[in-house]
Amino acid sequence: YESLNKEKYTSASFQIYTDSYNIAKKIYADDSASSDEVSYAVSDLQNKYLALVFRGDKTELIDILNRAKEINCSKYTPKSIEELNAAFDTAYEVYKNKDAIQSSIDQAVSLVKDKIDSLILQANFDELWEAIQKVKQVNPKLYNKASINDLKTKYDAACKVFNNRNSTQSDVNIILADLQIAYNGLTEIGDIDGLIALLQEIKDLKWFLYSADGIKELKAQYDSAVELLNNDFANSNDVETMILLLIGMKNRLSQRTDKVGLYEYLLKCEKIDLSDKKTSTVKPFNEAYSQAYKTLYDLDAGEEIVAKSMAELQTAENGLKKAGLAWWVILLIVLGGVIIIGIIIWFLS
């Protein structure tokens, strides 16, 4: 016992051995001790000696902890550094435990070493940042919706990767490639404002003044142009082609002189004051006026029908007569005159 170096053993196991030693020492000094007591003391002391637990060698643990301290944390992702710090704290507790056994020390060394080996280098975000700024300068009005929507999806994903400091270089490279592909895939929409303005011009046309075939053809193309505006995949060629088609059809429209004449006559009739006209003449005029407008808006109305509506409206206008005074109004006037004359005669007499 005296020759043992107790620093080599754990405190608990050496204390147990010490207690057994002290008991054996007392029995040894007791001359009245029986042989059984002596045998038990010897056996127990031997067992406690064999049960002594060696303290572990911390040399490798100290080395790995020092290695961890020298790591430049700014080079690695926050998450991997957090994991290393947690492993370091666990291993340092083992280091502070003077009774730590070799298996615990080996486990701590392995834990820290694994986290060092698992450190993830922080990605280089420079190119991704430049690509994000480039995308932010894109004017979405210049490109079709499909390519803009695709670019927006990739842009949002790129911002998410950029804002995540735990992103790996692989994450950055993948999203950067996706963003560049989406940017290069932008499809120009062409003169979309010109198409919208042209459609408004066509919409404002007095379509009823033109020949039926030309208007129907233009309307069909107009509807196709509206569909094109709502087509997410439309490109500049589609838009330019549509503009040329619409302009060509618009320029080929021919006005019907009979419809123009009827329209101008209707505008003239709108200004007629019907308040002083006989009801019996106003009613046929209104009927002829309404029928003339129906004829005007009927693209398939032929020249004969237009001429008939014009003639009927002219006849109705010429038939308008001013309303005369009612009989009772005339009677009141006469009576009023008689009364006034009577008053004058009375006054003079």
mmCIF file of all heavy atoms in Angstrom, residues 23-38:
data_model
loop_
_atom_site.group_PDB
_atom_site.id
_atom_site.type_symbol
_atom_site.label_atom_id
_atom_site.label_comp_id
_atom_site.label_asym_id
_atom_site.label_seq_id
_atom_site.Cartn_x
_atom_site.Cartn_y
_atom_site.Cartn_z
ATOM 1 N N ILE A 23 -8.746 -1.709 7.594
ATOM 2 C CA ILE A 23 -9.373 -2.826 8.328
ATOM 3 C C ILE A 23 -8.362 -3.973 8.490
ATOM 4 O O ILE A 23 -8.212 -4.577 9.573
ATOM 5 C CB ILE A 23 -10.626 -3.325 7.595
ATOM 6 C CG1 ILE A 23 -11.728 -2.255 7.662
ATOM 7 C CG2 ILE A 23 -11.136 -4.634 8.197
ATOM 8 C CD1 ILE A 23 -12.929 -2.556 6.801
ATOM 9 N N ALA A 24 -7.651 -4.295 7.418
ATOM 10 C CA ALA A 24 -6.657 -5.380 7.450
ATOM 11 C C ALA A 24 -5.530 -5.044 8.426
ATOM 12 O O ALA A 24 -5.001 -5.919 9.130
ATOM 13 C CB ALA A 24 -6.100 -5.609 6.044
ATOM 14 N N LYS A 25 -5.191 -3.762 8.469
ATOM 15 C CA LYS A 25 -4.114 -3.314 9.356
ATOM 16 C C LYS A 25 -4.511 -3.510 10.820
ATOM 17 O O LYS A 25 -3.688 -3.917 11.664
ATOM 18 C CB LYS A 25 -3.821 -1.841 9.061
ATOM 19 C CG LYS A 25 -2.530 -1.345 9.701
ATOM 20 C CD LYS A 25 -2.261 0.101 9.247
ATOM 21 C CE LYS A 25 -0.976 0.610 9.890
ATOM 22 N NZ LYS A 25 -0.723 2.022 9.482
ATOM 23 N N LYS A 26 -5.766 -3.233 11.142
ATOM 24 C CA LYS A 26 -6.242 -3.422 12.516
ATOM 25 C C LYS A 26 -6.237 -4.912 12.897
ATOM 26 O O LYS A 26 -5.869 -5.285 14.013
ATOM 27 C CB LYS A 26 -7.661 -2.873 12.660
ATOM 28 C CG LYS A 26 -7.737 -1.362 12.637
ATOM 29 C CD LYS A 26 -9.185 -0.891 12.782
ATOM 30 C CE LYS A 26 -9.269 0.624 12.747
ATOM 31 N NZ LYS A 26 -10.681 1.091 12.884
ATOM 32 N N ILE A 27 -6.663 -5.740 11.999
ATOM 33 C CA ILE A 27 -6.686 -7.195 12.256
ATOM 34 C C ILE A 27 -5.256 -7.719 12.453
ATOM 35 O O ILE A 27 -4.984 -8.571 13.312
ATOM 36 C CB ILE A 27 -7.387 -7.922 11.107
ATOM 37 C CG1 ILE A 27 -8.888 -7.565 11.087
ATOM 38 C CG2 ILE A 27 -7.212 -9.436 11.212
ATOM 39 C CD1 ILE A 27 -9.647 -8.133 9.919
ATOM 40 N N TYR A 28 -4.365 -7.169 11.628
ATOM 41 C CA TYR A 28 -2.962 -7.572 11.741
ATOM 42 C C TYR A 28 -2.404 -7.223 13.120
ATOM 43 O O TYR A 28 -1.616 -7.960 13.713
ATOM 44 C CB TYR A 28 -2.159 -6.902 10.635
ATOM 45 C CG TYR A 28 -0.670 -7.149 10.744
ATOM 46 C CD1 TYR A 28 -0.123 -8.376 10.351
ATOM 47 C CD2 TYR A 28 0.184 -6.150 11.258
ATOM 48 C CE1 TYR A 28 1.241 -8.604 10.459
ATOM 49 C CE2 TYR A 28 1.542 -6.383 11.371
ATOM 50 C CZ TYR A 28 2.078 -7.620 10.966
ATOM 51 O OH TYR A 28 3.439 -7.836 11.084
ATOM 52 N N ALA A 29 -2.835 -6.068 13.641
ATOM 53 C CA ALA A 29 -2.315 -5.610 14.952
ATOM 54 C C ALA A 29 -3.027 -6.274 16.121
ATOM 55 O O ALA A 29 -2.585 -6.174 17.272
ATOM 56 C CB ALA A 29 -2.456 -4.088 15.050
ATOM 57 N N ASP A 30 -4.140 -6.978 15.834
ATOM 58 C CA ASP A 30 -4.934 -7.603 16.897
ATOM 59 C C ASP A 30 -4.455 -9.050 17.094
ATOM 60 O O ASP A 30 -4.707 -9.908 16.230
ATOM 61 C CB ASP A 30 -6.411 -7.567 16.512
ATOM 62 C CG ASP A 30 -7.300 -8.121 17.623
ATOM 63 O OD1 ASP A 30 -6.764 -8.478 18.690
ATOM 64 O OD2 ASP A 30 -8.536 -8.178 17.375
ATOM 65 N N ASP A 31 -3.795 -9.309 18.193
ATOM 66 C CA ASP A 31 -3.248 -10.650 18.439
ATOM 67 C C ASP A 31 -4.346 -11.684 18.660
ATOM 68 O O ASP A 31 -4.122 -12.891 18.502
ATOM 69 C CB ASP A 31 -2.330 -10.631 19.682
ATOM 70 C CG ASP A 31 -1.066 -9.815 19.409
ATOM 71 O OD1 ASP A 31 -0.696 -9.678 18.208
ATOM 72 O OD2 ASP A 31 -0.479 -9.285 20.370
ATOM 73 N N SER A 32 -5.523 -11.180 18.990
ATOM 74 C CA SER A 32 -6.619 -12.119 19.267
ATOM 75 C C SER A 32 -7.446 -12.430 18.026
ATOM 76 O O SER A 32 -8.444 -13.157 18.103
ATOM 77 C CB SER A 32 -7.531 -11.534 20.357
ATOM 78 O OG SER A 32 -8.137 -10.327 19.903
ATOM 79 N N ALA A 33 -7.065 -11.853 16.894
ATOM 80 C CA ALA A 33 -7.827 -12.068 15.644
ATOM 81 C C ALA A 33 -7.769 -13.534 15.266
ATOM 82 O O ALA A 33 -6.717 -14.173 15.359
ATOM 83 C CB ALA A 33 -7.265 -11.195 14.542
ATOM 84 N N SER A 34 -8.889 -14.045 14.791
ATOM 85 C CA SER A 34 -8.958 -15.447 14.385
ATOM 86 C C SER A 34 -8.360 -15.618 12.999
ATOM 87 O O SER A 34 -8.174 -14.655 12.244
ATOM 88 C CB SER A 34 -10.411 -15.913 14.387
ATOM 89 O OG SER A 34 -11.152 -15.229 13.390
ATOM 90 N N SER A 35 -8.115 -16.868 12.658
ATOM 91 C CA SER A 35 -7.550 -17.149 11.334
ATOM 92 C C SER A 35 -8.540 -16.795 10.234
ATOM 93 O O SER A 35 -8.154 -16.366 9.137
ATOM 94 C CB SER A 35 -7.149 -18.630 11.243
ATOM 95 O OG SER A 35 -8.284 -19.472 11.459
ATOM 96 N N ASP A 36 -9.840 -16.968 10.525
ATOM 97 C CA ASP A 36 -10.861 -16.622 9.506
ATOM 98 C C ASP A 36 -10.861 -15.125 9.243
ATOM 99 O O ASP A 36 -10.984 -14.678 8.083
ATOM 100 C CB ASP A 36 -12.248 -17.057 9.987
ATOM 101 C CG ASP A 36 -12.402 -18.581 9.973
ATOM 102 O OD1 ASP A 36 -11.616 -19.227 9.256
ATOM 103 O OD2 ASP A 36 -13.328 -19.081 10.640
ATOM 104 N N GLU A 37 -10.730 -14.353 10.316
ATOM 105 C CA GLU A 37 -10.701 -12.891 10.143
ATOM 106 C C GLU A 37 -9.482 -12.470 9.347
ATOM 107 O O GLU A 37 -9.558 -11.589 8.473
ATOM 108 C CB GLU A 37 -10.692 -12.209 11.515
ATOM 109 C CG GLU A 37 -12.023 -12.313 12.248
ATOM 110 C CD GLU A 37 -11.974 -11.681 13.631
ATOM 111 O OE1 GLU A 37 -10.919 -11.787 14.296
ATOM 112 O OE2 GLU A 37 -12.994 -11.071 14.036
ATOM 113 N N VAL A 38 -8.375 -13.123 9.615
ATOM 114 C CA VAL A 38 -7.146 -12.792 8.873
ATOM 115 C C VAL A 38 -7.308 -13.151 7.402
ATOM 116 O O VAL A 38 -6.940 -12.381 6.498
ATOM 117 C CB VAL A 38 -5.931 -13.525 9.496
ATOM 118 C CG1 VAL A 38 -4.699 -13.343 8.624
ATOM 119 C CG2 VAL A 38 -5.661 -13.019 10.910
#
